[in-house]
Short mmCIF file of all heavy atoms in Angstrom, two decimals:
data_model
loop_
_atom_site.label_atom_id
_atom_site.label_comp_id
_atom_site.label_asym_id
_atom_site.label_seq_id
_atom_site.Cartn_x
_atom_site.Cartn_y
_atom_site.Cartn_z
N TYR A 95 106.02 83.94 91.22
CA TYR A 95 105.20 83.97 90.02
C TYR A 95 105.20 82.57 89.37
O TYR A 95 106.25 82.06 89.09
CB TYR A 95 105.82 84.93 89.00
CG TYR A 95 104.81 85.87 88.34
CD1 TYR A 95 104.40 87.04 89.07
CD2 TYR A 95 104.32 85.63 87.12
CE1 TYR A 95 103.51 87.85 88.48
CE2 TYR A 95 103.39 86.47 86.52
CZ TYR A 95 103.05 87.63 87.26
OH TYR A 95 102.12 88.49 86.69
N ARG A 96 104.02 81.91 89.36
CA ARG A 96 104.00 80.54 89.00
C ARG A 96 102.64 80.15 88.44
O ARG A 96 101.76 80.99 88.37
CB ARG A 96 104.39 79.58 90.09
CG ARG A 96 103.58 79.73 91.36
CD ARG A 96 104.12 78.94 92.57
NE ARG A 96 105.31 79.58 93.06
CZ ARG A 96 106.52 78.97 93.03
NH1 ARG A 96 106.71 77.76 92.59
NH2 ARG A 96 107.59 79.56 93.49
N ASP A 97 102.38 78.86 88.28
CA ASP A 97 101.09 78.37 87.82
C ASP A 97 100.53 79.00 86.59
O ASP A 97 99.43 79.44 86.54
CB ASP A 97 100.09 78.48 89.02
CG ASP A 97 98.85 77.66 88.82
OD1 ASP A 97 98.93 76.63 88.04
OD2 ASP A 97 97.82 78.00 89.33
N LEU A 98 101.44 79.20 85.53
CA LEU A 98 101.03 79.89 84.32
C LEU A 98 100.12 78.94 83.50
O LEU A 98 100.41 77.78 83.23
CB LEU A 98 102.29 80.21 83.49
CG LEU A 98 102.05 80.83 82.16
CD1 LEU A 98 101.25 82.10 82.22
CD2 LEU A 98 103.35 81.04 81.40
N ARG A 99 98.96 79.49 83.22
CA ARG A 99 97.96 78.74 82.37
C ARG A 99 97.53 79.73 81.31
O ARG A 99 97.39 80.88 81.54
CB ARG A 99 96.74 78.36 83.21
CG ARG A 99 97.00 77.46 84.37
CD ARG A 99 95.78 77.23 85.19
NE ARG A 99 96.14 76.62 86.47
CZ ARG A 99 95.32 76.61 87.48
NH1 ARG A 99 94.06 76.99 87.34
NH2 ARG A 99 95.70 76.00 88.58
N VAL A 100 97.34 79.17 80.11
CA VAL A 100 96.88 79.94 78.98
C VAL A 100 95.74 79.21 78.33
O VAL A 100 95.82 77.96 78.13
CB VAL A 100 98.00 80.25 77.95
CG1 VAL A 100 97.44 81.02 76.75
CG2 VAL A 100 99.15 80.98 78.65
N TYR A 101 94.67 79.95 77.94
CA TYR A 101 93.49 79.31 77.32
C TYR A 101 93.15 80.11 75.97
O TYR A 101 93.19 81.32 76.02
CB TYR A 101 92.30 79.33 78.19
CG TYR A 101 92.59 78.68 79.52
CD1 TYR A 101 92.87 79.42 80.69
CD2 TYR A 101 92.51 77.25 79.60
CE1 TYR A 101 93.23 78.78 81.87
CE2 TYR A 101 92.79 76.66 80.83
CZ TYR A 101 93.15 77.39 81.99
OH TYR A 101 93.39 76.79 83.11
N ASP A 102 92.73 79.36 75.01
CA ASP A 102 92.35 80.04 73.75
C ASP A 102 90.83 80.36 73.82
O ASP A 102 90.16 80.20 74.84
CB ASP A 102 92.69 79.19 72.54
CG ASP A 102 91.80 77.91 72.35
OD1 ASP A 102 90.83 77.72 73.17
OD2 ASP A 102 92.10 77.12 71.50
N ALA A 103 90.25 80.80 72.61
CA ALA A 103 88.88 81.29 72.58
C ALA A 103 87.90 80.19 72.92
O ALA A 103 86.80 80.44 73.35
CB ALA A 103 88.67 81.88 71.21
N GLU A 104 88.32 78.92 72.68
CA GLU A 104 87.43 77.79 73.01
C GLU A 104 87.66 77.23 74.40
O GLU A 104 87.01 76.22 74.75
CB GLU A 104 87.61 76.72 71.94
CG GLU A 104 87.36 77.19 70.50
CD GLU A 104 85.96 77.62 70.31
OE1 GLU A 104 85.02 76.99 70.79
OE2 GLU A 104 85.77 78.70 69.64
N GLY A 105 88.57 77.80 75.14
CA GLY A 105 88.86 77.27 76.48
C GLY A 105 89.92 76.20 76.52
O GLY A 105 90.17 75.62 77.59
N ALA A 106 90.51 75.86 75.35
CA ALA A 106 91.49 74.83 75.33
C ALA A 106 92.86 75.34 75.81
O ALA A 106 93.19 76.59 75.68
CB ALA A 106 91.71 74.34 73.86
N SER A 107 93.63 74.50 76.53
CA SER A 107 94.95 74.88 77.03
C SER A 107 95.90 75.16 75.93
O SER A 107 95.88 74.47 74.90
CB SER A 107 95.47 73.82 77.93
OG SER A 107 94.71 73.71 79.08
N VAL A 108 96.73 76.15 76.11
CA VAL A 108 97.81 76.53 75.16
C VAL A 108 99.18 76.43 75.88
O VAL A 108 99.27 76.84 77.04
CB VAL A 108 97.59 77.96 74.68
CG1 VAL A 108 98.68 78.40 73.72
CG2 VAL A 108 96.24 78.06 74.00
N ALA A 109 100.13 75.85 75.24
CA ALA A 109 101.45 75.70 75.83
C ALA A 109 102.12 77.04 76.09
O ALA A 109 102.05 78.01 75.30
CB ALA A 109 102.44 74.90 74.87
N ALA A 110 102.70 77.15 77.32
CA ALA A 110 103.32 78.38 77.73
C ALA A 110 104.33 78.09 78.85
O ALA A 110 104.27 77.04 79.50
CB ALA A 110 102.27 79.39 78.28
N HIS A 111 105.26 79.00 79.03
CA HIS A 111 106.26 78.89 80.13
C HIS A 111 106.75 80.26 80.54
O HIS A 111 106.51 81.22 79.84
CB HIS A 111 107.41 77.97 79.70
CG HIS A 111 108.22 78.57 78.54
ND1 HIS A 111 107.85 78.36 77.23
CD2 HIS A 111 109.36 79.27 78.57
CE1 HIS A 111 108.76 79.03 76.48
NE2 HIS A 111 109.68 79.52 77.25
N LEU A 112 107.47 80.29 81.62
CA LEU A 112 108.07 81.58 82.15
C LEU A 112 109.57 81.60 81.77
O LEU A 112 110.21 80.61 81.83
CB LEU A 112 107.90 81.63 83.60
CG LEU A 112 106.46 81.65 84.16
CD1 LEU A 112 106.44 81.47 85.68
CD2 LEU A 112 105.77 82.95 83.77
N GLU A 113 110.04 82.77 81.44
CA GLU A 113 111.47 83.01 81.23
C GLU A 113 111.87 84.23 82.04
O GLU A 113 111.11 85.14 82.17
CB GLU A 113 111.73 83.18 79.80
CG GLU A 113 111.65 82.04 78.90
CD GLU A 113 112.02 82.25 77.41
OE1 GLU A 113 112.45 83.38 77.07
OE2 GLU A 113 111.84 81.37 76.63
N VAL A 114 113.13 84.25 82.50
CA VAL A 114 113.70 85.40 83.18
C VAL A 114 114.58 86.14 82.17
O VAL A 114 115.44 85.53 81.49
CB VAL A 114 114.50 85.01 84.41
CG1 VAL A 114 115.25 86.14 85.00
CG2 VAL A 114 113.52 84.38 85.49
N THR A 115 114.43 87.48 82.04
CA THR A 115 115.36 88.24 81.18
C THR A 115 116.52 88.73 81.95
O THR A 115 116.42 88.90 83.19
CB THR A 115 114.52 89.46 80.56
OG1 THR A 115 114.07 90.27 81.63
CG2 THR A 115 113.34 88.94 79.75
N ALA A 116 117.56 89.09 81.28
CA ALA A 116 118.80 89.52 81.92
C ALA A 116 118.57 90.88 82.55
O ALA A 116 117.90 91.76 81.99
CB ALA A 116 119.91 89.64 80.92
N ALA A 117 119.11 91.06 83.79
CA ALA A 117 119.01 92.32 84.48
C ALA A 117 119.91 93.35 83.78
O ALA A 117 121.00 93.02 83.26
CB ALA A 117 119.43 92.16 85.92
N ARG A 118 119.46 94.63 83.80
CA ARG A 118 120.22 95.72 83.21
C ARG A 118 119.99 96.94 84.07
O ARG A 118 119.12 97.03 84.89
CB ARG A 118 119.76 95.94 81.79
CG ARG A 118 118.29 96.40 81.66
CD ARG A 118 117.85 96.59 80.26
NE ARG A 118 116.44 96.79 80.19
CZ ARG A 118 115.79 97.87 80.51
NH1 ARG A 118 116.45 98.94 81.00
NH2 ARG A 118 114.51 97.96 80.35
N VAL A 119 120.81 97.97 83.85
CA VAL A 119 120.68 99.25 84.51
C VAL A 119 119.92 100.21 83.59
O VAL A 119 120.30 100.37 82.45
CB VAL A 119 122.01 99.90 84.95
CG1 VAL A 119 121.88 101.24 85.50
CG2 VAL A 119 122.74 98.96 85.91
N ASP A 120 118.80 100.78 84.07
CA ASP A 120 118.03 101.74 83.34
C ASP A 120 118.87 103.06 83.25
O ASP A 120 119.25 103.62 84.25
CB ASP A 120 116.73 102.04 84.02
CG ASP A 120 115.89 102.99 83.26
OD1 ASP A 120 116.04 104.22 83.44
OD2 ASP A 120 115.07 102.54 82.44
N GLU A 121 119.13 103.49 82.03
CA GLU A 121 120.01 104.65 81.84
C GLU A 121 119.38 105.89 82.38
O GLU A 121 120.04 106.80 82.84
CB GLU A 121 120.30 104.81 80.36
CG GLU A 121 121.20 103.72 79.81
CD GLU A 121 121.54 103.89 78.32
OE1 GLU A 121 121.35 105.04 77.80
OE2 GLU A 121 121.93 102.92 77.75
N GLY A 122 118.04 106.02 82.38
CA GLY A 122 117.42 107.21 82.83
C GLY A 122 117.35 107.30 84.38
O GLY A 122 117.70 108.36 84.96
N SER A 123 117.00 106.29 85.05
CA SER A 123 116.81 106.31 86.51
C SER A 123 118.05 105.76 87.27
O SER A 123 118.15 106.05 88.42
CB SER A 123 115.61 105.48 86.94
OG SER A 123 115.81 104.12 86.65
N GLY A 124 118.86 104.93 86.61
CA GLY A 124 119.98 104.31 87.30
C GLY A 124 119.55 103.08 88.08
O GLY A 124 120.36 102.46 88.71
N GLU A 125 118.31 102.70 88.04
CA GLU A 125 117.80 101.51 88.76
C GLU A 125 118.09 100.30 87.96
O GLU A 125 118.21 100.24 86.78
CB GLU A 125 116.27 101.60 88.88
CG GLU A 125 115.70 102.55 89.88
CD GLU A 125 114.20 102.37 90.01
OE1 GLU A 125 113.54 102.28 88.98
OE2 GLU A 125 113.75 102.36 91.14
N TRP A 126 118.17 99.20 88.78
CA TRP A 126 118.28 97.86 88.15
C TRP A 126 116.89 97.50 87.63
O TRP A 126 115.90 97.73 88.27
CB TRP A 126 118.75 96.81 89.15
CG TRP A 126 120.21 96.79 89.37
CD1 TRP A 126 120.90 97.42 90.33
CD2 TRP A 126 121.18 96.25 88.51
NE1 TRP A 126 122.22 97.21 90.20
CE2 TRP A 126 122.43 96.47 89.05
CE3 TRP A 126 121.11 95.51 87.31
CZ2 TRP A 126 123.66 96.06 88.46
CZ3 TRP A 126 122.30 95.02 86.73
CH2 TRP A 126 123.52 95.30 87.33
N VAL A 127 116.87 96.91 86.40
CA VAL A 127 115.58 96.44 85.86
C VAL A 127 115.71 94.98 85.45
O VAL A 127 116.75 94.60 84.81
CB VAL A 127 115.24 97.26 84.52
CG1 VAL A 127 113.98 96.72 83.91
CG2 VAL A 127 115.16 98.74 84.88
N GLY A 128 114.89 94.14 86.03
CA GLY A 128 114.90 92.76 85.68
C GLY A 128 113.56 92.44 84.93
O GLY A 128 112.78 93.35 84.73
N GLY A 129 113.36 91.20 84.56
CA GLY A 129 112.12 90.94 83.82
C GLY A 129 111.75 89.49 83.85
O GLY A 129 112.61 88.63 84.00
N VAL A 130 110.44 89.30 83.69
CA VAL A 130 109.91 87.95 83.56
C VAL A 130 109.09 88.01 82.28
O VAL A 130 108.21 88.89 82.12
CB VAL A 130 109.05 87.57 84.70
CG1 VAL A 130 108.34 86.24 84.56
CG2 VAL A 130 109.83 87.62 86.02
N ASP A 131 109.27 86.97 81.35
CA ASP A 131 108.47 86.96 80.15
C ASP A 131 107.54 85.71 80.33
O ASP A 131 107.91 84.61 80.73
CB ASP A 131 109.31 86.63 78.93
CG ASP A 131 110.01 87.89 78.41
OD1 ASP A 131 109.76 89.00 79.01
OD2 ASP A 131 110.75 87.79 77.41
N LEU A 132 106.27 85.98 80.06
CA LEU A 132 105.25 84.92 79.93
C LEU A 132 105.22 84.56 78.45
O LEU A 132 104.76 85.37 77.68
CB LEU A 132 103.90 85.40 80.45
CG LEU A 132 103.75 85.66 81.93
CD1 LEU A 132 104.62 86.70 82.43
CD2 LEU A 132 102.31 85.96 82.22
N VAL A 133 105.79 83.41 78.10
CA VAL A 133 105.97 83.04 76.69
C VAL A 133 104.84 82.03 76.30
O VAL A 133 104.65 81.03 76.90
CB VAL A 133 107.29 82.40 76.44
CG1 VAL A 133 107.51 82.11 74.95
CG2 VAL A 133 108.40 83.37 76.90
N VAL A 134 104.05 82.47 75.25
CA VAL A 134 102.87 81.65 74.82
C VAL A 134 103.16 81.13 73.42
O VAL A 134 103.39 81.91 72.52
CB VAL A 134 101.62 82.52 74.82
CG1 VAL A 134 100.42 81.70 74.40
CG2 VAL A 134 101.36 83.19 76.21
#
Side-chain angles (χ1 to χ4, degrees):
Y95 226 79
R96 58 187 72 244
D97 194 25
L98 175 60
R99 300 177 194 163
V100 178
Y101 304 99
D102 71 6
E104 302 298 319
S107 293
V108 176
H111 65 277
L112 298 169
E113 290 182 3
V114 171
T115 61
R118 62 179 171 76
V119 175
D120 181 274
E121 292 180 19
S123 68
E125 285 185 315
W126 279 99
V127 178
V130 177
D131 282 359
L132 289 62
V133 182
V134 180

